[in-house]
């Protein structure tokens, strides 16, 4: 059964009771045309099962059993792709990448030969949702983890997926994998992530899909108030929490890397460009140039998705040529602040050949 998709924006962290991710209709049949024309609310993840070491939720960690479906355009899915790479889980958890241009039937596997995912054999991600719950009326979101033997969705809970990869999948981590969610720092990490999520990750969508001036003004103010606070925090420390990369940095990075290409203009978050804040720009470049971050980013997919799918915001579908991307590779000098990117661990190895971002998506 095909049905209108929810965008990548569905997530568990917003308590809004109404259906609907930030970027789509959910079951009302209007699909992509609803972008920017309906009040913003972020839906909770409907499928919040967890894959754990002891299998207490019915889904045990098992190498090769599950497939991660992600969009390189999506900040929420990109978190999981980065975590998977930093932890060295490429061989344990396979990766399927969807077309950045989804239609009202959901995310599509049109990038693969024959238009089908080579492992799951499906044309639309909605097919995995239907195998889990026939007639499910909600949206189809990424990231999604699918059980390969049954072909059914396990979870689309993007917040918990990354935390579980860092903690429950430890037996399958590569030698030298970093601790992305160190127990001693979890309270501080959670506090930082909550503010980043509310005002930045989610805030840019509240601004971009606002349907009234007051709604937009409120969201815009919150975005830049939080960015100012983050800039102050990062002026004296290389990473958000502690002296190593943590889950908090991953969650902020996926919004920052999209800021100038899409959020500044497309979402009207234009008080300044990321490249105009010396601290945030250097911090973002530091992470981009760290193995596991920039080598997962596809700027072509990002721009194609936002400008061509959000037809309520950009009805012409014109994709801007800029901004220039060369700045992402310029020196950042953040290493002078100290810090140990991977703690006592090591950087991840080369990107698997099948997962290398094409030249069109890189600086």
């Amino acid at each position: 059964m095909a049905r209108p998709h929810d965008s990548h924006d569905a997530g568990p962290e917003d308590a809004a009771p109404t259906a609907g991710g930030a970027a789509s209709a959910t079951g009302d049949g209007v699909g992509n045309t609803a972008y920017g024309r309906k009040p913003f609310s972020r839906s909770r993840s409907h499928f919040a099962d967890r894959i754990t070491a002891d299998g207490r939720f019915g889904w045990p960690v098992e190498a090769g059993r599950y497939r991660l479906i992600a969009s390189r355009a999506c900040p929420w899915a990109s978190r999981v792709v980065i975590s998977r790479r930093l932890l060295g889980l490429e061989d344990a958890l396979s990766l399927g990448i969807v077309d950045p241009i989804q239609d009202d039937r959901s995310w599509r596997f049109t990038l693969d030969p024959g238009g089908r995912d080579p492992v799951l054999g499906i044309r639309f991600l909605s097919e995995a949702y239907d195998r889990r719950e026939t007639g499910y009326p909600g949206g189809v979101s990424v990231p999604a983890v699918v059980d390969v033997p049954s072909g059914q969705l396990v979870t689309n809970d993007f917040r918990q997926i990354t935390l579980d990869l860092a903690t429950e999948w430890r037996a399958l981590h590569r030698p030298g994998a970093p601790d992305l969610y160190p127990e001693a720092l979890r309270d501080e990490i959670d506090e930082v992530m909550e503010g980043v999520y509310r005002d930045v990750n989610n805030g840019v969508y509240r601004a971009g899909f606002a349907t009234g001036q007051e709604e937009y003004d409120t969201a815009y103010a919150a975005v830049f108030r939080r960015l100012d606070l983050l800039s102050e925090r990062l002026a004296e420390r290389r990473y958000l929490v502690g002296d190593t990369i943590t889950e908090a940095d991953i969650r902020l990075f996926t919004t920052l890397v999209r800021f100038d290409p899409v959020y500044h203009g497309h979402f009207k978050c234009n008080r300044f460009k990321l490249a105009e804040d010396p601290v945030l720009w250097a911090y973002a470049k530091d992470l981009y140039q760290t193995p596991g971050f920039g080598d997962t980013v596809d700027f072509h997919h990002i721009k194609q998705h936002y400008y061509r799918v959000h037809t309520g915001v950009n009805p012409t579908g014109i994709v801007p040529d800029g901004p220039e991307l060369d700045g992402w590779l310029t020196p950042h000098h953040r290493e002078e602040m100290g810090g140990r990117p991977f703690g006592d661990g090591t950087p991840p190895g080369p990107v698997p050949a099948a997962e290398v971002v094409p030249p069109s998506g890189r600086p």
Side-chain angles (χ1 to χ4, degrees):
M1 171 182 177
R3 57 183 170 272
H5 65 82
D6 195 10
S7 182
H8 49 258
D9 310 301
E13 297 157 72
D14 191 299
T18 56
S24 82
T26 53
D28 58 9
V30 297
N32 294 342
T33 61
Y35 290 94
R37 295 176 179 170
K38 296 183 67 178
F40 175 91
S41 66
R42 186 178 303 287
S43 60
R44 293 177 178 271
S45 293
H46 183 75
F47 302 101
D49 287 6
R50 294 177 58 192
I51 301 170
T52 61
D54 61 7
R56 61 189 180 277
F57 297 99
W59 304 103
V61 170
E62 183 180 331
R65 175 171 175 177
Y66 307 100
R67 185 160 175 82
L68 169 63
I69 304 301
S71 164
R72 292 198 188 276
C74 164
W76 319 104
S78 292
R79 297 177 177 184
V80 188
V81 175
I82 292 171
S83 296
R84 169 181 174 271
R85 172 141 165 69
L86 291 174
L87 298 171
L89 290 170
E90 291 98 327
D91 291 336
L93 177 63
S94 65
L95 175 65
I97 297 294
V98 293
D99 192 316
I101 310 301
Q102 83 257 55
D103 63 22
D104 289 342
R105 293 169 294 181
S106 86
W107 296 96
R108 309 176 295 171
F109 293 100
T110 48
L111 302 180
D112 294 305
R116 293 183 180 274
D117 180 86
V119 173
L120 301 174
I122 57 178
R123 296 176 59 230
F124 298 95
L125 181 55
S126 59
E127 295 175 54
Y129 277 68
D130 283 331
R131 289 175 183 173
R132 172 67 185 272
E133 182 178 321
T134 303
Y136 162 61
V140 177
S141 64
V142 292
V145 179
V146 179
D147 177 52
V148 174
S150 66
Q152 65 175 289
L153 177 76
V154 176
T155 177
N156 64 355
D157 188 347
F158 72 89
R159 184 194 65 84
Q160 191 62 46
I161 292 171
T162 52
L163 298 181
D164 283 341
L165 289 184
T167 57
E168 298 289 339
W169 289 64
R170 286 185 186 276
L172 298 178
H173 287 184
R174 64 177 176 87
D179 187 351
L180 299 176
Y181 196 47
E183 191 166 359
L185 297 176
R186 287 181 188 175
D187 288 346
E188 185 178 1
I189 291 172
D190 290 346
E191 181 181 3
V192 170
M193 291 193 305
E194 193 281 329
V196 167
Y197 168 77
R198 183 185 62 245
D199 298 334
V200 180
N201 301 146
N202 206 35
V204 293
Y205 285 91
R206 290 191 181 280
F209 293 126
T211 56
Q213 189 68 46
E214 183 177 356
E215 180 186 357
Y216 163 76
D217 290 343
T218 299
Y220 173 97
V223 167
F224 287 98
R225 181 174 59 248
R226 182 63 57 179
L227 289 178
D228 286 343
L229 291 172
L230 291 166
S231 184
E232 292 175 11
R233 182 183 185 94
L234 290 165
E236 299 180 353
R237 57 198 307 165
R238 189 172 179 185
Y239 303 112
L240 284 172
V241 182
D243 67 347
T244 66
I245 292 167
T246 68
E247 175 81 10
D249 297 295
I250 296 172
R251 295 190 182 197
L252 178 57
F253 173 78
T254 57
T255 295
L256 294 184
V257 79
R258 289 162 174 76
F259 201 87
D260 288 2
V262 290
Y263 300 147
H264 178 271
H266 183 57
F267 277 0
K268 306 180 185 69
C269 294
N270 59 358
R271 198 185 100 194
F272 58 74
K273 294 179 181 177
L274 179 67
E276 294 169 349
D277 184 294
V279 173
L280 292 178
W281 179 224
Y283 167 78
K285 288 193 295 179
D286 186 6
L287 291 177
Y288 184 87
Q289 294 172 31
T290 299
F293 284 84
D295 53 30
T296 70
V297 175
D298 190 323
F299 286 106
H300 177 71
H301 276 208
I302 290 169
K303 290 169 60 176
Q304 289 295 309
H305 173 77
Y306 280 88
Y307 288 104
R308 293 181 61 186
V309 173
H310 299 170
T311 54
V313 176
N314 186 39
T316 65
I318 293 173
V319 181
D321 291 333
E324 294 294 330
L325 300 175
D326 291 348
W328 285 100
L329 303 179
T330 59
H332 53 76
H333 304 295
R334 295 280 291 184
E335 69 279 0
E336 298 171 7
M337 304 178 73
R340 305 173 301 142
F342 302 100
D344 295 328
T346 58
V351 179
E355 298 180 14
V356 172
V357 174
S360 61
R362 307 195 306 260

